[in-house]
Amino acid sequence: MTEPVETPEGGRPRRRMNYGEGREALLNAAVRVVARGGLRRLTYRAVAEEAGTTHGLVVHHFGSRDALIEEAVAHAIRTSLNTSALEPGTGDVEDFSVGVSEMVTADPDIQSFQYELLLEARRRPELLPHLRALYDEYFDATGRELSRMLPEEAGQPLTRLVFAALDGLVLHQLVFGGPEITDAAVEELRSLLRLLQNRPGTVAESGD
Protein backbone atom coordinates (compact mmCIF):
# COMPACT_ATOMS: atom_id res chain seq x y z
CA MET A 1 0.00 0.00 0.00
CA THR A 2 1.18 3.52 -0.76
CA GLU A 3 -0.36 6.80 0.27
CA PRO A 4 0.04 9.97 -1.83
CA VAL A 5 1.20 13.02 0.08
CA GLU A 6 1.89 16.61 -0.81
CA THR A 7 3.65 17.65 -4.01
CA PRO A 8 6.43 20.19 -3.34
CA GLU A 9 6.36 23.21 -5.62
CA GLY A 10 8.37 22.39 -8.73
CA GLY A 11 9.18 18.92 -7.41
CA ARG A 12 8.05 15.36 -7.91
CA PRO A 13 4.94 14.00 -6.21
CA ARG A 14 5.93 12.46 -2.90
CA ARG A 15 4.33 9.35 -1.46
CA ARG A 16 4.55 7.23 1.64
CA MET A 17 5.94 3.76 0.98
CA ASN A 18 5.82 0.60 3.02
CA TYR A 19 9.07 -0.58 4.59
CA GLY A 20 10.18 -3.09 1.95
CA GLU A 21 9.24 -1.01 -1.05
CA GLY A 22 10.69 2.16 0.45
CA ARG A 23 14.07 0.65 1.23
CA GLU A 24 14.48 -0.87 -2.23
CA ALA A 25 13.34 2.31 -3.95
CA LEU A 26 15.76 4.42 -1.93
CA LEU A 27 18.70 2.12 -2.66
CA ASN A 28 17.94 2.24 -6.37
CA ALA A 29 17.65 6.01 -6.15
CA ALA A 30 21.01 6.26 -4.35
CA VAL A 31 22.65 4.22 -7.09
CA ARG A 32 21.24 6.52 -9.77
CA VAL A 33 22.30 9.67 -7.91
CA VAL A 34 25.89 8.46 -7.57
CA ALA A 35 26.02 7.11 -11.13
CA ARG A 36 24.98 10.45 -12.58
CA GLY A 37 26.61 12.93 -10.24
CA GLY A 38 29.30 11.13 -8.25
CA LEU A 39 29.42 10.34 -4.56
CA ARG A 40 29.59 14.02 -3.62
CA ARG A 41 26.03 14.43 -4.84
CA LEU A 42 24.75 11.70 -2.53
CA THR A 43 22.64 13.50 0.05
CA TYR A 44 19.40 12.64 1.81
CA ARG A 45 17.57 15.25 -0.22
CA ALA A 46 19.04 14.12 -3.55
CA VAL A 47 18.04 10.51 -2.88
CA ALA A 48 14.58 11.51 -1.69
CA GLU A 49 14.01 13.69 -4.76
CA GLU A 50 15.17 10.88 -7.07
CA ALA A 51 12.86 8.41 -5.32
CA GLY A 52 9.95 10.84 -5.20
CA THR A 53 9.57 10.81 -1.43
CA THR A 54 10.63 12.78 1.66
CA HIS A 55 14.19 13.00 2.93
CA GLY A 56 12.92 11.98 6.37
CA LEU A 57 12.26 8.52 4.98
CA VAL A 58 15.91 8.22 3.98
CA VAL A 59 16.96 9.14 7.50
CA HIS A 60 14.47 6.64 8.91
CA HIS A 61 15.82 3.74 6.84
CA PHE A 62 19.55 4.42 7.01
CA GLY A 63 20.28 6.84 9.84
CA SER A 64 23.51 8.17 8.37
CA ARG A 65 25.06 8.86 5.01
CA ASP A 66 27.75 6.23 5.67
CA ALA A 67 25.08 3.63 6.36
CA LEU A 68 23.34 4.60 3.13
CA ILE A 69 26.60 4.14 1.19
CA GLU A 70 27.25 0.77 2.82
CA GLU A 71 23.74 -0.46 2.07
CA ALA A 72 23.95 0.82 -1.50
CA VAL A 73 27.18 -1.13 -2.05
CA ALA A 74 25.55 -4.28 -0.67
CA HIS A 75 22.62 -3.64 -3.00
CA ALA A 76 25.04 -3.28 -5.91
CA ILE A 77 26.59 -6.65 -5.03
CA ARG A 78 23.22 -8.38 -5.03
CA THR A 79 22.01 -6.70 -8.19
CA SER A 80 25.20 -7.12 -10.22
CA LEU A 81 25.79 -10.76 -9.31
CA ASN A 82 22.16 -11.58 -9.96
CA THR A 83 22.26 -10.04 -13.43
CA SER A 84 25.75 -11.07 -14.51
CA ALA A 85 27.01 -14.34 -15.95
CA LEU A 86 30.21 -14.68 -13.96
CA GLU A 87 29.08 -17.94 -12.44
CA PRO A 88 26.54 -19.82 -14.57
CA GLY A 89 27.58 -22.98 -12.69
CA THR A 90 27.80 -25.21 -15.76
CA GLY A 91 31.56 -25.34 -16.21
CA ASP A 92 30.97 -24.81 -19.93
CA VAL A 93 33.16 -22.16 -21.57
CA GLU A 94 30.31 -21.32 -23.94
CA ASP A 95 28.20 -20.15 -21.00
CA PHE A 96 30.86 -17.99 -19.38
CA SER A 97 29.96 -14.28 -19.33
CA VAL A 98 27.03 -14.69 -21.69
CA GLY A 99 24.94 -11.52 -21.60
CA VAL A 100 27.61 -9.12 -20.30
CA SER A 101 26.88 -6.50 -22.95
CA GLU A 102 23.13 -6.83 -22.36
CA MET A 103 23.71 -6.37 -18.62
CA VAL A 104 25.48 -3.06 -19.25
CA THR A 105 22.83 -1.88 -21.70
CA ALA A 106 19.96 -2.83 -19.39
CA ASP A 107 21.28 -1.16 -16.22
CA PRO A 108 24.23 1.16 -16.82
CA ASP A 109 23.63 3.03 -13.56
CA ILE A 110 24.52 0.08 -11.32
CA GLN A 111 27.80 -0.33 -13.20
CA SER A 112 28.59 3.40 -13.21
CA PHE A 113 27.87 3.52 -9.47
CA GLN A 114 30.62 1.00 -8.79
CA TYR A 115 33.20 2.81 -10.90
CA GLU A 116 32.33 6.11 -9.23
CA LEU A 117 32.96 4.50 -5.84
CA LEU A 118 36.27 3.03 -7.00
CA LEU A 119 37.52 6.45 -8.03
CA GLU A 120 36.21 8.08 -4.87
CA ALA A 121 38.00 5.46 -2.75
CA ARG A 122 41.32 6.93 -3.90
CA ARG A 123 40.35 10.10 -2.04
CA ARG A 124 38.40 8.44 0.76
CA PRO A 125 40.18 5.29 1.99
CA GLU A 126 37.30 4.53 4.36
CA LEU A 127 35.37 3.34 1.32
CA LEU A 128 37.93 0.65 0.54
CA PRO A 129 36.45 -2.04 2.84
CA HIS A 130 33.12 -1.73 1.02
CA LEU A 131 34.79 -1.93 -2.38
CA ARG A 132 36.98 -4.86 -1.35
CA ALA A 133 33.88 -6.74 -0.24
CA LEU A 134 32.20 -6.02 -3.57
CA TYR A 135 35.17 -7.14 -5.64
CA ASP A 136 35.88 -10.15 -3.46
CA GLU A 137 32.40 -11.36 -4.40
CA TYR A 138 33.27 -10.92 -8.07
CA PHE A 139 36.66 -12.62 -7.72
CA ASP A 140 35.16 -15.56 -5.84
CA ALA A 141 32.40 -16.08 -8.41
CA THR A 142 34.89 -15.85 -11.27
CA GLY A 143 37.35 -18.23 -9.60
CA ARG A 144 34.71 -20.84 -8.86
CA GLU A 145 33.50 -20.89 -12.45
CA LEU A 146 37.04 -21.01 -13.87
CA SER A 147 37.79 -23.98 -11.61
CA ARG A 148 34.76 -25.77 -13.03
CA MET A 149 35.96 -25.14 -16.58
CA LEU A 150 39.67 -25.83 -16.30
CA PRO A 151 41.57 -29.04 -15.53
CA GLU A 152 43.21 -27.45 -12.48
CA GLU A 153 41.90 -25.09 -9.83
CA ALA A 154 42.08 -21.48 -10.98
CA GLY A 155 44.53 -19.50 -8.90
CA GLN A 156 44.28 -15.88 -7.86
CA PRO A 157 46.44 -14.47 -10.71
CA LEU A 158 44.35 -16.09 -13.43
CA THR A 159 41.11 -15.18 -11.69
CA ARG A 160 42.16 -11.55 -11.41
CA LEU A 161 43.31 -11.47 -15.03
CA VAL A 162 40.03 -12.85 -16.38
CA PHE A 163 37.87 -10.63 -14.22
CA ALA A 164 39.96 -7.55 -15.02
CA ALA A 165 39.38 -8.21 -18.72
CA LEU A 166 35.62 -8.36 -18.18
CA ASP A 167 35.63 -5.35 -15.87
CA GLY A 168 37.52 -3.33 -18.46
CA LEU A 169 35.10 -4.32 -21.19
CA VAL A 170 32.16 -3.19 -19.06
CA LEU A 171 33.84 0.16 -18.41
CA HIS A 172 34.64 0.66 -22.09
CA GLN A 173 31.06 -0.08 -23.10
CA LEU A 174 29.76 2.36 -20.51
CA VAL A 175 31.97 5.14 -21.90
CA PHE A 176 32.21 4.36 -25.59
CA GLY A 177 29.16 2.18 -26.28
CA GLY A 178 29.38 -0.66 -28.78
CA PRO A 179 27.90 -3.78 -27.18
CA GLU A 180 28.89 -5.74 -30.27
CA ILE A 181 32.54 -4.95 -29.53
CA THR A 182 32.08 -6.27 -26.00
CA ASP A 183 30.51 -9.46 -27.36
CA ALA A 184 33.38 -10.03 -29.80
CA ALA A 185 35.98 -9.44 -27.08
CA VAL A 186 34.24 -11.83 -24.67
CA GLU A 187 34.27 -14.50 -27.38
CA GLU A 188 38.03 -14.01 -27.76
CA LEU A 189 38.37 -14.47 -24.01
CA ARG A 190 36.45 -17.74 -24.27
CA SER A 191 38.85 -18.85 -27.02
CA LEU A 192 41.76 -18.36 -24.63
CA LEU A 193 39.95 -20.32 -21.93
CA ARG A 194 39.40 -23.17 -24.38
CA LEU A 195 43.16 -23.31 -24.93
CA LEU A 196 43.66 -23.63 -21.18
CA GLN A 197 41.05 -26.36 -21.04
CA ASN A 198 43.03 -28.41 -23.53
CA ARG A 199 46.47 -27.78 -22.06
CA PRO A 200 46.70 -29.19 -18.54
CA GLY A 201 49.41 -27.69 -16.38
CA THR A 202 49.20 -24.17 -17.76
CA VAL A 203 46.87 -22.82 -15.11
CA ALA A 204 48.57 -20.65 -12.50
CA GLU A 205 48.93 -22.20 -9.08
CA SER A 206 46.42 -21.19 -6.49
CA GLY A 207 47.49 -18.23 -4.38
CA ASP A 208 46.23 -16.57 -1.23
Side-chain angles (χ1 to χ4, degrees), residues 122-153:
R122 297 184 70 247
R123 296 180 287 268
R124 296 183 55 188
E126 65 270 20
L127 292 175
L128 282 175
H130 304 310
L131 273 299
R132 288 188 192 280
L134 173 63
Y135 272 76
D136 281 346
E137 293 278 353
Y138 291 148
F139 295 146
D140 289 347
T142 303
R144 287 191 299 266
E145 193 61 25
L146 289 175
S147 292
R148 293 185 185 102
M149 287 187 284
L150 302 176
E152 297 180 12
E153 182 179 352

Side-chain angles (χ1 to χ4, degrees), residues 24-83:
E24 188 75 9
L26 292 173
L27 289 172
N28 286 328
V31 166
R32 292 193 298 272
V33 168
V34 174
R36 298 168 188 173
L39 192 62
R40 296 173 188 178
R41 295 292 302 275
L42 185 66
T43 65
Y44 290 149
R45 290 194 180 279
V47 172
E49 181 179 352
E50 180 67 30
T53 186
T54 63
H55 86 283
L57 188 63
V58 187
V59 177
H60 168 73
H61 277 292
F62 303 105
S64 71
R65 186 170 179 269
D66 286 344
L68 174 59
I69 293 171
E70 184 173 350
E71 289 287 338
V73 172
H75 177 67
I77 293 173
R78 294 192 301 271
T79 303
S80 293
L81 289 177
N82 286 342
T83 58

Side-chain angles (χ1 to χ4, degrees), residues 136-200:
D136 281 346
E137 293 278 353
Y138 291 148
F139 295 146
D140 289 347
T142 303
R144 287 191 299 266
E145 193 61 25
L146 289 175
S147 292
R148 293 185 185 102
M149 287 187 284
L150 302 176
E152 297 180 12
E153 182 179 352
Q156 186 185 77
L158 178 62
T159 296
R160 296 291 179 98
L161 176 63
V162 170
F163 179 77
L166 294 171
D167 203 28
L169 290 172
V170 169
L171 177 59
H172 286 189
Q173 185 177 330
L174 279 171
V175 176
F176 303 115
E180 70 283 354
I181 298 174
T182 301
D183 291 338
V186 170
E187 182 53 40
E188 287 297 315
L189 177 60
R190 293 193 195 104
S191 296
L192 296 175
L193 292 175
R194 291 185 197 102
L195 292 176
L196 289 179
Q197 267 190 326
N198 297 322
R199 294 176 59 190

Side-chain angles (χ1 to χ4, degrees), residues 34-36 107-117 174:
V34 174
R36 298 168 188 173
D107 194 357
D109 285 346
I110 197 71
Q111 310 303 326
S112 297
F113 167 79
Q114 294 171 53
Y115 293 121
E116 287 287 346
L117 284 184
L174 279 171

